[in-house]
Amino acid sequence: DVKVTQSSRYLVKRTGEKVFLECVQDMDHENMFWYRQDPGLGLRLIYFSYDVKMKEKGDIPEGYSVSREKKERFSLILESASTNQTSMYLCASRRFYPTTGGLGGTGELFFGEGSRLTVL
Amino acid sequence: AQTVTQSQPEMSVQEAETVTLSCTYDTSESDYYLFWYKQPPSRQMILVIRQEAYKQQNATENRFSVNFQKAAKSFSLKISDSQLGDAAMYFCAFLESGGGADGLTFGKGTHLIIQP
């Protein structure tokens, strides 16, 4: 089974602090994603990564950055946390997509358990 | 840009009954994939069912089935014989086919309550 592990289930930080959210997957997936989940807003894509050292902005990248130095690890960084970044953060991974000649994945995302961040 | 709409923020059903969750989407693409994800209170999202737009046959996974109406851009999820373990947030999601490595576009979710 695919396992996506997020380093912290619950974090409490103060405004202005630098925050690191770590995500590790064990299935050698090329693609990795960070989503933010808020009640009534669903999931919104922050950043994604095609492969090692590759990154692309999603729909709401402001205030965030990412790092992918190794294939299995994708980190989300809040350079200076603010109260409006209090949220649930979900990491996901996927085999490369789109399919080519029968290769590649199905597009399915595999999620971690989430990291609940509170910024005071 | 694609949008996914789930018009029911919350649904409630008696155990053992059938419930249908609605989802509509907007796209100009003809080839794409649709998903239903379940998020139980423990928070880990898991895939329930997947549909490829070019397939006319509706996908089925045990008690879960979809009603895919491509012309109407509708993708509803039917849960038969509801069980207490089905209580969760359900998210409908869209993925363009061949469009690169973009993430899925999600709806805002439907909170499903199962009454014992």
Side-chain angles (χ1 to χ4, degrees), chain A residues 35-108:
Chain A
Y35 282 89
R36 172 175 171 160
Q37 183 180 9
D38 299 288
L41 297 179
L43 278 72
R44 294 178 291 169
L45 183 63
I46 304 172
Y47 266 97
F48 61 98
S49 170
Y50 291 90
D51 210 328
V52 178
K53 297 190 184 295
M54 307 293 287
K55 58 185 179 183
E56 293 288 338
K57 293 180 179 180
D59 300 318
I60 53 166
E62 296 79 17
Y64 304 94
S65 62
V66 291
S67 173
R68 191 152 179 220
E69 295 298 317
K70 293 185 178 182
K71 192 174 186 179
E72 68 272 17
R73 187 180 298 270
F74 191 36
S75 302
L76 180 68
I77 304 158
L78 288 66
E79 292 289 342
S80 178
S82 63
T83 55
N84 63 12
Q85 292 179 309
T86 292
S87 186
M88 172 67 80
Y89 291 88
L90 299 179
C91 175
S93 73
R94 176 178 71 193
R95 188 161 179 218
F96 80 89
Y97 178 87
T99 58
T100 303
L103 302 176
T106 62
E108 177 187 354

Side-chain angles (χ1 to χ4, degrees), chain B:
Chain B
Q2 291 82 11
T3 59
V4 177
T5 302
Q6 295 179 246
S7 59
Q8 307 149 316
E10 187 173 280
M11 293 279 287
S12 182
V13 65
Q14 291 290 128
E15 193 176 4
E17 293 188 348
T18 295
V19 63
T20 299
L21 308 184
S22 66
C23 173
T24 58
Y25 56 94
D26 186 26
T27 183
S28 58
E29 301 296 324
S30 61
D31 196 14
Y32 47 86
Y33 300 93
L34 295 162
F35 305 81
W36 277 100
Y37 275 86
K38 171 184 177 181
Q39 187 181 42
S42 66
R43 293 291 184 178
Q44 186 165 30
M45 301 263 285
I46 56 173
L47 179 68
V48 175
I49 202 164
R50 175 179 177 270
Q51 175 81 40
E52 296 162 330
Y54 67 87
K55 290 186 177 179
Q56 293 186 343
Q57 187 172 5
N58 289 325
T60 300
E61 289 288 341
N62 301 313
R63 297 182 296 107
F64 298 86
S65 61
V66 297
N67 183 6
F68 173 49
Q69 301 288 331
K70 192 173 184 178
K73 296 181 182 177
S74 172
F75 183 60
S76 61
L77 175 70
K78 185 172 82 171
I79 306 174
S80 304
D81 186 25
S82 299
Q83 300 176 359
L84 294 178
D86 295 333
M89 284 292 294
Y90 286 82
F91 292 93
C92 179
F94 174 98
L95 177 65
E96 181 184 327
S97 175
D102 292 356
L104 276 62
T105 300
F106 286 86
K108 294 182 179 181
T110 296
H111 181 210
L112 179 63
I113 298 168
I114 310 295
Q115 305 278 4

